[in-house]
Amino acid sequence: MGTDSSKTAYDHLWMHFTRMSSYRDNPVPTIVRGEGAYIYDDTGKRYLDGLSGLFVVNAGHGRAELAETAAKQAQQLAYFPIWSYAHPSAIDLAERLAGYAPGDLNKVFFTTGGGEAVETAWKLAKQYFKLVGKPGKHKVISRAVAYHGTPQGALSITGLPALKAPFEPLVPGAHKVPNTNIYRAPEHGDDPEAFGRWAADRIEEAILFEGPDTVAAVFLEPVQNAGGCFPPPPGYFQRVREICDRHDVLLVSDEVICAFGRLGHMFGCDKFGYVPDMITCAKGMTSGYSPIGACIVSDRIAAPFYEDGNSFPHGYTFGGHPVSAAVALTNLDIFEREGLNARVLEQEKSFYGTLQKLQDLPIVGDVRGDGYFYGIELVKDKATKETFTDEECERILYGHVSKELYANGLYCRADDRGDPVVQLAPPLISGQEQFDEAEQILRSVLTEAWQKL
């Protein structure tokens, strides 16, 4: 243990998705405490947590009840696997999730995170079609710019070439279609319903091009994260559901971010009125107080795995961990007791309206999203929607906006996966006070960024 924690962090803690060289001569930001919608660094400075950690801390920081649940469960049964065995917290949580899930999604396969849940869904889809006599169906379709995780399969499904390039070759058979960014729609940009039909039909086009007898699944987020919170146009998911049914292709709703209140429902598919064949989820299930994820599967898809001595030869040591499952159950109790989903539905228009005020800034091209999940796209020219160059992203987005938002007390995400955006997803306990605080900090920093641009 050294006295200079920042130097120790640089020397020993390999931070994720981080340019480690940037901390060679600069202090590593170190967060030591959270309370409600706020976090505090090692100097005592307070920040609004505008990203819920990483779209995770939905019930807010500092919930003693969740910590007490974890301690109590660890004292009773700290660990046991669910490899041919069960334990009460995993049983109860599986039942709870099945009760929340739409349609016949009643089977819950636990993981320790979202990427593992996506990996599980693809493997399960492949084996399902082998069991029902269609072994050629193994390919998957997902959307351009979409992020689905870091495991080899999930990374193949991800539609961000720069994230994939260092690790290629990846798992073959993952194909991409256009996303639902209507702000930059190639056509029908002034007609959301027509654009939704166009975007959904690109999925059918890809299925037909690859051959329906080779395509196993389509992976879609209710609101796409990467690129800056793309909501679905009207009718989009209904059309996708029709296409998947027509060609016997499974629809996977990747809700690692969108589940557990982020859009005002336990599952985002409910917000947009569709029933998938599988849901992948994680993050907000415990509000981050302990890691867990899940792939929730329809009875129809699970059926052949429950017959004739079949099994799904797949699993994780810490999947369905007793402590994490117990924490999830208490977290979901909090959701119900405090009406957090209803709160999001009541407050989402106010949140959106507050962020929309930033449209008077010349650097703000679009504000979009749903629930407590919004993206602000930055542009050089509002009339032409001209975006930043790579040099401008480096200098303005990372060199100024990201650093200054944090320096001014707002933790959120400034990113250029797709076009330059700032993303906001605060804890679900946030209200108008936090919306106004975020808007004021954003206004100040983005005004300065425009002057530098």
Side-chain angles (χ1 to χ4, degrees), residues 97 105-114 116-125 219 252-253 277-282 285 293-298 301 312 314:
L97 294 176
L105 277 73
N106 291 312
K107 303 295 190 289
V108 181
F109 190 100
F110 284 117
T111 68
T112 57
E116 290 176 355
V118 171
E119 196 84 358
T120 297
W122 190 5
K123 289 179 72 174
L124 196 150
F219 282 72
V252 181
S253 192
D277 298 294
M278 289 186 263
I279 294 173
T280 55
C281 57
M285 194 190 307
C295 180
I296 308 175
V297 185
S298 78
I301 305 306
F312 182 35
H314 172 72

PDB file of all heavy atoms in Angstrom, residues 97 105-114 116-125 219 252-253 277-282 285 293-298 301 312 314:
ATOM      1  N   LEU A  97     -38.093 -12.702 -12.146  1.00  0.00           N
ATOM      2  CA  LEU A  97     -37.820 -12.199 -13.489  1.00  0.00           C
ATOM      3  C   LEU A  97     -38.808 -12.770 -14.499  1.00  0.00           C
ATOM      4  O   LEU A  97     -39.275 -12.063 -15.403  1.00  0.00           O
ATOM      5  CB  LEU A  97     -36.385 -12.529 -13.896  1.00  0.00           C
ATOM      6  CG  LEU A  97     -35.283 -11.844 -13.088  1.00  0.00           C
ATOM      7  CD1 LEU A  97     -33.913 -12.338 -13.539  1.00  0.00           C
ATOM      8  CD2 LEU A  97     -35.368 -10.329 -13.203  1.00  0.00           C
ATOM      9  N   LEU A 105     -41.762 -15.936 -21.704  1.00  0.00           N
ATOM     10  CA  LEU A 105     -40.344 -15.920 -21.329  1.00  0.00           C
ATOM     11  C   LEU A 105     -40.236 -16.286 -19.852  1.00  0.00           C
ATOM     12  O   LEU A 105     -40.245 -15.419 -18.969  1.00  0.00           O
ATOM     13  CB  LEU A 105     -39.707 -14.559 -21.612  1.00  0.00           C
ATOM     14  CG  LEU A 105     -39.236 -14.361 -23.071  1.00  0.00           C
ATOM     15  CD1 LEU A 105     -40.414 -14.159 -24.002  1.00  0.00           C
ATOM     16  CD2 LEU A 105     -38.256 -13.191 -23.177  1.00  0.00           C
ATOM     17  N   ASN A 106     -40.139 -17.574 -19.591  1.00  0.00           N
ATOM     18  CA  ASN A 106     -40.223 -18.098 -18.226  1.00  0.00           C
ATOM     19  C   ASN A 106     -38.967 -18.812 -17.745  1.00  0.00           C
ATOM     20  O   ASN A 106     -38.918 -19.244 -16.598  1.00  0.00           O
ATOM     21  CB  ASN A 106     -41.410 -19.068 -18.120  1.00  0.00           C
ATOM     22  CG  ASN A 106     -42.740 -18.363 -18.229  1.00  0.00           C
ATOM     23  OD1 ASN A 106     -42.965 -17.354 -17.566  1.00  0.00           O
ATOM     24  ND2 ASN A 106     -43.626 -18.868 -19.082  1.00  0.00           N
ATOM     25  N   LYS A 107     -37.965 -18.971 -18.610  1.00  0.00           N
ATOM     26  CA  LYS A 107     -36.751 -19.683 -18.228  1.00  0.00           C
ATOM     27  C   LYS A 107     -35.606 -18.684 -18.114  1.00  0.00           C
ATOM     28  O   LYS A 107     -35.346 -17.922 -19.042  1.00  0.00           O
ATOM     29  CB  LYS A 107     -36.411 -20.761 -19.268  1.00  0.00           C
ATOM     30  CG  LYS A 107     -37.527 -21.779 -19.503  1.00  0.00           C
ATOM     31  CD  LYS A 107     -37.811 -22.611 -18.266  1.00  0.00           C
ATOM     32  CE  LYS A 107     -38.753 -23.781 -18.560  1.00  0.00           C
ATOM     33  NZ  LYS A 107     -40.146 -23.341 -18.830  1.00  0.00           N
ATOM     34  N   VAL A 108     -34.896 -18.721 -16.982  1.00  0.00           N
ATOM     35  CA  VAL A 108     -33.868 -17.724 -16.697  1.00  0.00           C
ATOM     36  C   VAL A 108     -32.510 -18.404 -16.558  1.00  0.00           C
ATOM     37  O   VAL A 108     -32.305 -19.233 -15.666  1.00  0.00           O
ATOM     38  CB  VAL A 108     -34.196 -16.935 -15.413  1.00  0.00           C
ATOM     39  CG1 VAL A 108     -33.128 -15.884 -15.143  1.00  0.00           C
ATOM     40  CG2 VAL A 108     -35.585 -16.275 -15.546  1.00  0.00           C
ATOM     41  N   PHE A 109     -31.584 -18.053 -17.438  1.00  0.00           N
ATOM     42  CA  PHE A 109     -30.210 -18.570 -17.398  1.00  0.00           C
ATOM     43  C   PHE A 109     -29.321 -17.435 -16.889  1.00  0.00           C
ATOM     44  O   PHE A 109     -29.146 -16.414 -17.554  1.00  0.00           O
ATOM     45  CB  PHE A 109     -29.763 -19.012 -18.801  1.00  0.00           C
ATOM     46  CG  PHE A 109     -28.461 -19.768 -18.806  1.00  0.00           C
ATOM     47  CD1 PHE A 109     -28.440 -21.155 -18.885  1.00  0.00           C
ATOM     48  CD2 PHE A 109     -27.245 -19.090 -18.716  1.00  0.00           C
ATOM     49  CE1 PHE A 109     -27.236 -21.851 -18.873  1.00  0.00           C
ATOM     50  CE2 PHE A 109     -26.043 -19.773 -18.703  1.00  0.00           C
ATOM     51  CZ  PHE A 109     -26.032 -21.160 -18.780  1.00  0.00           C
ATOM     52  N   PHE A 110     -28.742 -17.613 -15.687  1.00  0.00           N
ATOM     53  CA  PHE A 110     -27.976 -16.534 -15.065  1.00  0.00           C
ATOM     54  C   PHE A 110     -26.529 -16.482 -15.552  1.00  0.00           C
ATOM     55  O   PHE A 110     -25.895 -17.518 -15.805  1.00  0.00           O
ATOM     56  CB  PHE A 110     -27.981 -16.692 -13.541  1.00  0.00           C
ATOM     57  CG  PHE A 110     -29.278 -16.292 -12.905  1.00  0.00           C
ATOM     58  CD1 PHE A 110     -30.049 -17.227 -12.228  1.00  0.00           C
ATOM     59  CD2 PHE A 110     -29.735 -14.985 -12.987  1.00  0.00           C
ATOM     60  CE1 PHE A 110     -31.250 -16.862 -11.639  1.00  0.00           C
ATOM     61  CE2 PHE A 110     -30.943 -14.611 -12.395  1.00  0.00           C
ATOM     62  CZ  PHE A 110     -31.697 -15.549 -11.723  1.00  0.00           C
ATOM     63  N   THR A 111     -26.024 -15.270 -15.673  1.00  0.00           N
ATOM     64  CA  THR A 111     -24.627 -14.994 -15.991  1.00  0.00           C
ATOM     65  C   THR A 111     -24.103 -14.012 -14.942  1.00  0.00           C
ATOM     66  O   THR A 111     -24.796 -13.718 -13.968  1.00  0.00           O
ATOM     67  CB  THR A 111     -24.505 -14.382 -17.399  1.00  0.00           C
ATOM     68  OG1 THR A 111     -25.096 -13.065 -17.390  1.00  0.00           O
ATOM     69  CG2 THR A 111     -25.202 -15.246 -18.441  1.00  0.00           C
ATOM     70  N   THR A 112     -22.901 -13.495 -15.151  1.00  0.00           N
ATOM     71  CA  THR A 112     -22.404 -12.475 -14.223  1.00  0.00           C
ATOM     72  C   THR A 112     -22.408 -11.083 -14.829  1.00  0.00           C
ATOM     73  O   THR A 112     -22.066 -10.123 -14.159  1.00  0.00           O
ATOM     74  CB  THR A 112     -20.986 -12.805 -13.723  1.00  0.00           C
ATOM     75  OG1 THR A 112     -20.117 -12.938 -14.839  1.00  0.00           O
ATOM     76  CG2 THR A 112     -20.984 -14.098 -12.942  1.00  0.00           C
ATOM     77  N   GLY A 113     -22.784 -10.951 -16.103  1.00  0.00           N
ATOM     78  CA  GLY A 113     -22.814  -9.645 -16.731  1.00  0.00           C
ATOM     79  C   GLY A 113     -23.514  -9.680 -18.071  1.00  0.00           C
ATOM     80  O   GLY A 113     -23.954 -10.740 -18.551  1.00  0.00           O
ATOM     81  N   GLY A 114     -23.601  -8.507 -18.712  1.00  0.00           N
ATOM     82  CA  GLY A 114     -24.355  -8.364 -19.945  1.00  0.00           C
ATOM     83  C   GLY A 114     -23.713  -9.032 -21.139  1.00  0.00           C
ATOM     84  O   GLY A 114     -24.398  -9.675 -21.948  1.00  0.00           O
ATOM     85  N   GLU A 116     -21.802 -11.582 -21.200  1.00  0.00           N
ATOM     86  CA  GLU A 116     -21.994 -13.025 -21.044  1.00  0.00           C
ATOM     87  C   GLU A 116     -23.428 -13.428 -21.390  1.00  0.00           C
ATOM     88  O   GLU A 116     -23.667 -14.518 -21.924  1.00  0.00           O
ATOM     89  CB  GLU A 116     -21.674 -13.454 -19.619  1.00  0.00           C
ATOM     90  CG  GLU A 116     -20.202 -13.378 -19.257  1.00  0.00           C
ATOM     91  CD  GLU A 116     -19.955 -13.734 -17.806  1.00  0.00           C
ATOM     92  OE1 GLU A 116     -20.949 -13.941 -17.064  1.00  0.00           O
ATOM     93  OE2 GLU A 116     -18.789 -13.810 -17.406  1.00  0.00           O
ATOM     94  N   ALA A 117     -24.383 -12.558 -21.079  1.00  0.00           N
ATOM     95  CA  ALA A 117     -25.777 -12.859 -21.418  1.00  0.00           C
ATOM     96  C   ALA A 117     -25.969 -12.892 -22.927  1.00  0.00           C
ATOM     97  O   ALA A 117     -26.674 -13.756 -23.462  1.00  0.00           O
ATOM     98  CB  ALA A 117     -26.698 -11.825 -20.774  1.00  0.00           C
ATOM     99  N   VAL A 118     -25.333 -11.951 -23.640  1.00  0.00           N
ATOM    100  CA  VAL A 118     -25.409 -11.933 -25.104  1.00  0.00           C
ATOM    101  C   VAL A 118     -24.732 -13.170 -25.684  1.00  0.00           C
ATOM    102  O   VAL A 118     -25.253 -13.817 -26.608  1.00  0.00           O
ATOM    103  CB  VAL A 118     -24.786 -10.638 -25.655  1.00  0.00           C
ATOM    104  CG1 VAL A 118     -24.659 -10.690 -27.171  1.00  0.00           C
ATOM    105  CG2 VAL A 118     -25.622  -9.427 -25.236  1.00  0.00           C
ATOM    106  N   GLU A 119     -23.561 -13.500 -25.146  1.00  0.00           N
ATOM    107  CA  GLU A 119     -22.851 -14.699 -25.585  1.00  0.00           C
ATOM    108  C   GLU A 119     -23.729 -15.933 -25.396  1.00  0.00           C
ATOM    109  O   GLU A 119     -23.815 -16.818 -26.263  1.00  0.00           O
ATOM    110  CB  GLU A 119     -21.555 -14.842 -24.777  1.00  0.00           C
ATOM    111  CG  GLU A 119     -20.545 -15.796 -25.355  1.00  0.00           C
ATOM    112  CD  GLU A 119     -19.665 -15.146 -26.417  1.00  0.00           C
ATOM    113  OE1 GLU A 119     -19.875 -13.957 -26.732  1.00  0.00           O
ATOM    114  OE2 GLU A 119     -18.794 -15.837 -26.940  1.00  0.00           O
ATOM    115  N   THR A 120     -24.409 -15.990 -24.269  1.00  0.00           N
ATOM    116  CA  THR A 120     -25.303 -17.103 -23.963  1.00  0.00           C
ATOM    117  C   THR A 120     -26.427 -17.202 -24.988  1.00  0.00           C
ATOM    118  O   THR A 120     -26.762 -18.292 -25.462  1.00  0.00           O
ATOM    119  CB  THR A 120     -25.888 -16.929 -22.551  1.00  0.00           C
ATOM    120  OG1 THR A 120     -24.825 -16.977 -21.587  1.00  0.00           O
ATOM    121  CG2 THR A 120     -26.919 -17.994 -22.230  1.00  0.00           C
ATOM    122  N   ALA A 121     -27.019 -16.055 -25.323  1.00  0.00           N
ATOM    123  CA  ALA A 121     -28.154 -16.051 -26.245  1.00  0.00           C
ATOM    124  C   ALA A 121     -27.762 -16.564 -27.626  1.00  0.00           C
ATOM    125  O   ALA A 121     -28.523 -17.318 -28.259  1.00  0.00           O
ATOM    126  CB  ALA A 121     -28.741 -14.641 -26.352  1.00  0.00           C
ATOM    127  N   TRP A 122     -26.571 -16.188 -28.114  1.00  0.00           N
ATOM    128  CA  TRP A 122     -26.166 -16.658 -29.440  1.00  0.00           C
ATOM    129  C   TRP A 122     -25.893 -18.167 -29.415  1.00  0.00           C
ATOM    130  O   TRP A 122     -26.330 -18.906 -30.275  1.00  0.00           O
ATOM    131  CB  TRP A 122     -24.939 -15.892 -29.941  1.00  0.00           C
ATOM    132  CG  TRP A 122     -24.619 -16.149 -31.393  1.00  0.00           C
ATOM    133  CD1 TRP A 122     -25.341 -16.896 -32.278  1.00  0.00           C
ATOM    134  CD2 TRP A 122     -23.503 -15.652 -32.120  1.00  0.00           C
ATOM    135  NE1 TRP A 122     -24.742 -16.895 -33.524  1.00  0.00           N
ATOM    136  CE2 TRP A 122     -23.608 -16.138 -33.452  1.00  0.00           C
ATOM    137  CE3 TRP A 122     -22.415 -14.849 -31.786  1.00  0.00           C
ATOM    138  CZ2 TRP A 122     -22.674 -15.838 -34.432  1.00  0.00           C
ATOM    139  CZ3 TRP A 122     -21.486 -14.547 -32.775  1.00  0.00           C
ATOM    140  CH2 TRP A 122     -21.611 -15.036 -34.080  1.00  0.00           C
ATOM    141  N   LYS A 123     -25.185 -18.618 -28.366  1.00  0.00           N
ATOM    142  CA  LYS A 123     -24.910 -20.052 -28.262  1.00  0.00           C
ATOM    143  C   LYS A 123     -26.209 -20.845 -28.146  1.00  0.00           C
ATOM    144  O   LYS A 123     -26.370 -21.902 -28.764  1.00  0.00           O
ATOM    145  CB  LYS A 123     -24.000 -20.323 -27.062  1.00  0.00           C
ATOM    146  CG  LYS A 123     -22.572 -19.829 -27.251  1.00  0.00           C
ATOM    147  CD  LYS A 123     -21.709 -20.090 -26.021  1.00  0.00           C
ATOM    148  CE  LYS A 123     -21.383 -21.558 -25.845  1.00  0.00           C
ATOM    149  NZ  LYS A 123     -20.433 -21.776 -24.718  1.00  0.00           N
ATOM    150  N   LEU A 124     -27.132 -20.322 -27.372  1.00  0.00           N
ATOM    151  CA  LEU A 124     -28.393 -21.023 -27.182  1.00  0.00           C
ATOM    152  C   LEU A 124     -29.175 -21.093 -28.494  1.00  0.00           C
ATOM    153  O   LEU A 124     -29.759 -22.135 -28.826  1.00  0.00           O
ATOM    154  CB  LEU A 124     -29.203 -20.318 -26.095  1.00  0.00           C
ATOM    155  CG  LEU A 124     -30.363 -21.099 -25.479  1.00  0.00           C
ATOM    156  CD1 LEU A 124     -30.577 -20.657 -24.041  1.00  0.00           C
ATOM    157  CD2 LEU A 124     -31.644 -20.911 -26.278  1.00  0.00           C
ATOM    158  N   ALA A 125     -29.170 -20.000 -29.249  1.00  0.00           N
ATOM    159  CA  ALA A 125     -29.877 -19.985 -30.535  1.00  0.00           C
ATOM    160  C   ALA A 125     -29.293 -21.024 -31.487  1.00  0.00           C
ATOM    161  O   ALA A 125     -30.031 -21.750 -32.166  1.00  0.00           O
ATOM    162  CB  ALA A 125     -29.811 -18.587 -31.151  1.00  0.00           C
ATOM    163  N   PHE A 219     -30.374  -9.575 -33.089  1.00  0.00           N
ATOM    164  CA  PHE A 219     -30.108  -8.936 -31.793  1.00  0.00           C
ATOM    165  C   PHE A 219     -30.347  -7.435 -31.913  1.00  0.00           C
ATOM    166  O   PHE A 219     -29.681  -6.758 -32.702  1.00  0.00           O
ATOM    167  CB  PHE A 219     -28.661  -9.177 -31.364  1.00  0.00           C
ATOM    168  CG  PHE A 219     -28.384 -10.544 -30.796  1.00  0.00           C
ATOM    169  CD1 PHE A 219     -28.359 -11.665 -31.614  1.00  0.00           C
ATOM    170  CD2 PHE A 219     -28.145 -10.717 -29.438  1.00  0.00           C
ATOM    171  CE1 PHE A 219     -28.100 -12.916 -31.113  1.00  0.00           C
ATOM    172  CE2 PHE A 219     -27.880 -11.972 -28.914  1.00  0.00           C
ATOM    173  CZ  PHE A 219     -27.865 -13.084 -29.744  1.00  0.00           C
ATOM    174  N   VAL A 252     -33.902 -11.444 -30.315  1.00  0.00           N
ATOM    175  CA  VAL A 252     -33.282 -11.245 -29.006  1.00  0.00           C
ATOM    176  C   VAL A 252     -33.311  -9.763 -28.675  1.00  0.00           C
ATOM    177  O   VAL A 252     -32.781  -8.940 -29.421  1.00  0.00           O
ATOM    178  CB  VAL A 252     -31.834 -11.760 -28.985  1.00  0.00           C
ATOM    179  CG1 VAL A 252     -31.222 -11.565 -27.597  1.00  0.00           C
ATOM    180  CG2 VAL A 252     -31.778 -13.224 -29.400  1.00  0.00           C
ATOM    181  N   SER A 253     -33.943  -9.413 -27.569  1.00  0.00           N
ATOM    182  CA  SER A 253     -33.989  -8.029 -27.099  1.00  0.00           C
ATOM    183  C   SER A 253     -32.842  -7.832 -26.111  1.00  0.00           C
ATOM    184  O   SER A 253     -32.875  -8.337 -24.986  1.00  0.00           O
ATOM    185  CB  SER A 253     -35.333  -7.748 -26.415  1.00  0.00           C
ATOM    186  OG  SER A 253     -35.529  -6.374 -26.191  1.00  0.00           O
ATOM    187  N   ASP A 277     -38.030 -13.434 -28.270  1.00  0.00           N
ATOM    188  CA  ASP A 277     -37.844 -14.837 -27.891  1.00  0.00           C
ATOM    189  C   ASP A 277     -36.871 -14.975 -26.727  1.00  0.00           C
ATOM    190  O   ASP A 277     -36.924 -15.955 -25.983  1.00  0.00           O
ATOM    191  CB  ASP A 277     -37.325 -15.634 -29.092  1.00  0.00           C
ATOM    192  CG  ASP A 277     -38.316 -15.620 -30.244  1.00  0.00           C
ATOM    193  OD1 ASP A 277     -39.402 -16.197 -30.078  1.00  0.00           O
ATOM    194  OD2 ASP A 277     -38.014 -15.017 -31.275  1.00  0.00           O
ATOM    195  N   MET A 278     -35.975 -14.002 -26.605  1.00  0.00           N
ATOM    196  CA  MET A 278     -35.037 -13.954 -25.482  1.00  0.00           C
ATOM    197  C   MET A 278     -34.798 -12.499 -25.099  1.00  0.00           C
ATOM    198  O   MET A 278     -34.862 -11.607 -25.942  1.00  0.00           O
ATOM    199  CB  MET A 278     -33.692 -14.604 -25.852  1.00  0.00           C
ATOM    200  CG  MET A 278     -33.725 -16.101 -26.005  1.00  0.00           C
ATOM    201  SD  MET A 278     -32.050 -16.799 -26.275  1.00  0.00           S
ATOM    202  CE  MET A 278     -32.037 -16.945 -28.062  1.00  0.00           C
ATOM    203  N   ILE A 279     -34.520 -12.288 -23.823  1.00  0.00           N
ATOM    204  CA  ILE A 279     -34.090 -10.983 -23.313  1.00  0.00           C
ATOM    205  C   ILE A 279     -32.747 -11.180 -22.634  1.00  0.00           C
ATOM    206  O   ILE A 279     -32.588 -12.083 -21.807  1.00  0.00           O
ATOM    207  CB  ILE A 279     -35.086 -10.408 -22.295  1.00  0.00           C
ATOM    208  CG1 ILE A 279     -36.425 -10.072 -22.954  1.00  0.00           C
ATOM    209  CG2 ILE A 279     -34.516  -9.164 -21.616  1.00  0.00           C
ATOM    210  CD1 ILE A 279     -37.507  -9.657 -21.965  1.00  0.00           C
ATOM    211  N   THR A 280     -31.770 -10.353 -22.984  1.00  0.00           N
ATOM    212  CA  THR A 280     -30.511 -10.334 -22.242  1.00  0.00           C
ATOM    213  C   THR A 280     -30.518  -9.097 -21.351  1.00  0.00           C
ATOM    214  O   THR A 280     -30.908  -8.011 -21.775  1.00  0.00           O
ATOM    215  CB  THR A 280     -29.304 -10.303 -23.196  1.00  0.00           C
ATOM    216  OG1 THR A 280     -29.417  -9.190 -24.088  1.00  0.00           O
ATOM    217  CG2 THR A 280     -29.229 -11.589 -23.996  1.00  0.00           C
ATOM    218  N   CYS A 281     -30.094  -9.267 -20.099  1.00  0.00           N
ATOM    219  CA  CYS A 281     -30.158  -8.160 -19.145  1.00  0.00           C
ATOM    220  C   CYS A 281     -29.060  -8.304 -18.092  1.00  0.00           C
ATOM    221  O   CYS A 281     -28.459  -9.367 -17.952  1.00  0.00           O
ATOM    222  CB  CYS A 281     -31.531  -8.090 -18.485  1.00  0.00           C
ATOM    223  SG  CYS A 281     -32.043  -9.606 -17.643  1.00  0.00           S
ATOM    224  N   ALA A 282     -28.798  -7.220 -17.366  1.00  0.00           N
ATOM    225  CA  ALA A 282     -27.756  -7.209 -16.333  1.00  0.00           C
ATOM    226  C   ALA A 282     -27.877  -5.895 -15.554  1.00  0.00           C
ATOM    227  O   ALA A 282     -28.941  -5.602 -15.010  1.00  0.00           O
ATOM    228  CB  ALA A 282     -26.370  -7.377 -16.966  1.00  0.00           C
ATOM    229  N   MET A 285     -30.217  -4.705 -12.653  1.00  0.00           N
ATOM    230  CA  MET A 285     -30.909  -5.752 -11.896  1.00  0.00           C
ATOM    231  C   MET A 285     -30.581  -5.665 -10.405  1.00  0.00           C
ATOM    232  O   MET A 285     -31.431  -5.953  -9.556  1.00  0.00           O
ATOM    233  CB  MET A 285     -30.538  -7.136 -12.433  1.00  0.00           C
ATOM    234  CG  MET A 285     -31.450  -8.240 -11.947  1.00  0.00           C
ATOM    235  SD  MET A 285     -30.887  -9.927 -12.339  1.00  0.00           S
ATOM    236  CE  MET A 285     -30.610  -9.847 -14.101  1.00  0.00           C
ATOM    237  N   GLY A 293     -26.131 -11.055 -14.308  1.00  0.00           N
ATOM    238  CA  GLY A 293     -26.785 -10.878 -15.599  1.00  0.00           C
ATOM    239  C   GLY A 293     -27.661 -12.084 -15.855  1.00  0.00           C
ATOM    240  O   GLY A 293     -27.638 -13.067 -15.110  1.00  0.00           O
ATOM    241  N   ALA A 294     -28.444 -12.020 -16.935  1.00  0.00           N
ATOM    242  CA  ALA A 294     -29.331 -13.143 -17.243  1.00  0.00           C
ATOM    243  C   ALA A 294     -29.733 -13.129 -18.704  1.00  0.00           C
ATOM    244  O   ALA A 294     -29.792 -12.075 -19.337  1.00  0.00           O
ATOM    245  CB  ALA A 294     -30.585 -13.096 -16.367  1.00  0.00           C
ATOM    246  N   CYS A 295     -29.995 -14.308 -19.217  1.00  0.00           N
ATOM    247  CA  CYS A 295     -30.670 -14.493 -20.495  1.00  0.00           C
ATOM    248  C   CYS A 295     -32.014 -15.133 -20.174  1.00  0.00           C
ATOM    249  O   CYS A 295     -32.056 -16.240 -19.627  1.00  0.00           O
ATOM    250  CB  CYS A 295     -29.843 -15.377 -21.422  1.00  0.00           C
ATOM    251  SG  CYS A 295     -30.597 -15.670 -23.036  1.00  0.00           S
ATOM    252  N   ILE A 296     -33.096 -14.428 -20.473  1.00  0.00           N
ATOM    253  CA  ILE A 296     -34.442 -14.916 -20.180  1.00  0.00           C
ATOM    254  C   ILE A 296     -35.023 -15.465 -21.478  1.00  0.00           C
ATOM    255  O   ILE A 296     -35.031 -14.790 -22.506  1.00  0.00           O
ATOM    256  CB  ILE A 296     -35.322 -13.785 -19.610  1.00  0.00           C
ATOM    257  CG1 ILE A 296     -34.606 -13.100 -18.433  1.00  0.00           C
ATOM    258  CG2 ILE A 296     -36.675 -14.333 -19.164  1.00  0.00           C
ATOM    259  CD1 ILE A 296     -35.339 -11.892 -17.893  1.00  0.00           C
ATOM    260  N   VAL A 297     -35.491 -16.701 -21.436  1.00  0.00           N
ATOM    261  CA  VAL A 297     -35.781 -17.474 -22.644  1.00  0.00           C
ATOM    262  C   VAL A 297     -37.244 -17.921 -22.653  1.00  0.00           C
ATOM    263  O   VAL A 297     -37.799 -18.301 -21.611  1.00  0.00           O
ATOM    264  CB  VAL A 297     -34.856 -18.712 -22.701  1.00  0.00           C
ATOM    265  CG1 VAL A 297     -35.041 -19.477 -24.009  1.00  0.00           C
ATOM    266  CG2 VAL A 297     -33.393 -18.306 -22.526  1.00  0.00           C
ATOM    267  N   SER A 298     -37.853 -17.889 -23.832  1.00  0.00           N
ATOM    268  CA  SER A 298     -39.239 -18.328 -23.946  1.00  0.00           C
ATOM    269  C   SER A 298     -39.353 -19.834 -23.734  1.00  0.00           C
ATOM    270  O   SER A 298     -38.415 -20.596 -24.012  1.00  0.00           O
ATOM    271  CB  SER A 298     -39.811 -17.955 -25.316  1.00  0.00           C
ATOM    272  OG  SER A 298     -39.358 -18.843 -26.312  1.00  0.00           O
ATOM    273  N   ILE A 301     -38.570 -21.870 -26.909  1.00  0.00           N
ATOM    274  CA  ILE A 301     -37.167 -22.067 -27.257  1.00  0.00           C
ATOM    275  C   ILE A 301     -36.494 -23.012 -26.264  1.00  0.00           C
ATOM    276  O   ILE A 301     -35.615 -23.796 -26.618  1.00  0.00           O
ATOM    277  CB  ILE A 301     -36.424 -20.712 -27.308  1.00  0.00           C
ATOM    278  CG1 ILE A 301     -37.131 -19.756 -28.274  1.00  0.00           C
ATOM    279  CG2 ILE A 301     -34.969 -20.889 -27.684  1.00  0.00           C
ATOM    280  CD1 ILE A 301     -37.345 -20.317 -29.671  1.00  0.00           C
ATOM    281  N   PHE A 312     -27.777 -27.876 -22.071  1.00  0.00           N
ATOM    282  CA  PHE A 312     -27.106 -26.720 -22.662  1.00  0.00           C
ATOM    283  C   PHE A 312     -25.723 -26.676 -22.016  1.00  0.00           C
ATOM    284  O   PHE A 312     -25.580 -26.220 -20.879  1.00  0.00           O
ATOM    285  CB  PHE A 312     -27.917 -25.458 -22.356  1.00  0.00           C
ATOM    286  CG  PHE A 312     -27.374 -24.181 -22.957  1.00  0.00           C
ATOM    287  CD1 PHE A 312     -26.746 -24.157 -24.191  1.00  0.00           C
ATOM    288  CD2 PHE A 312     -27.530 -22.976 -22.270  1.00  0.00           C
ATOM    289  CE1 PHE A 312     -26.269 -22.969 -24.742  1.00  0.00           C
ATOM    290  CE2 PHE A 312     -27.064 -21.785 -22.799  1.00  0.00           C
ATOM    291  CZ  PHE A 312     -26.434 -21.773 -24.037  1.00  0.00           C
ATOM    292  N   HIS A 314     -23.097 -25.103 -21.116  1.00  0.00           N
ATOM    293  CA  HIS A 314     -22.637 -23.716 -21.052  1.00  0.00           C
ATOM    294  C   HIS A 314     -22.916 -23.196 -19.655  1.00  0.00           C
ATOM    295  O   HIS A 314     -23.932 -23.558 -19.043  1.00  0.00           O
ATOM    296  CB  HIS A 314     -23.401 -22.896 -22.100  1.00  0.00           C
ATOM    297  CG  HIS A 314     -23.177 -21.416 -22.031  1.00  0.00           C
ATOM    298  ND1 HIS A 314     -22.002 -20.820 -22.414  1.00  0.00           N
ATOM    299  CD2 HIS A 314     -24.000 -20.406 -21.642  1.00  0.00           C
ATOM    300  CE1 HIS A 314     -22.105 -19.509 -22.274  1.00  0.00           C
ATOM    301  NE2 HIS A 314     -23.299 -19.229 -21.798  1.00  0.00           N
TER     302      HIS A 314
END
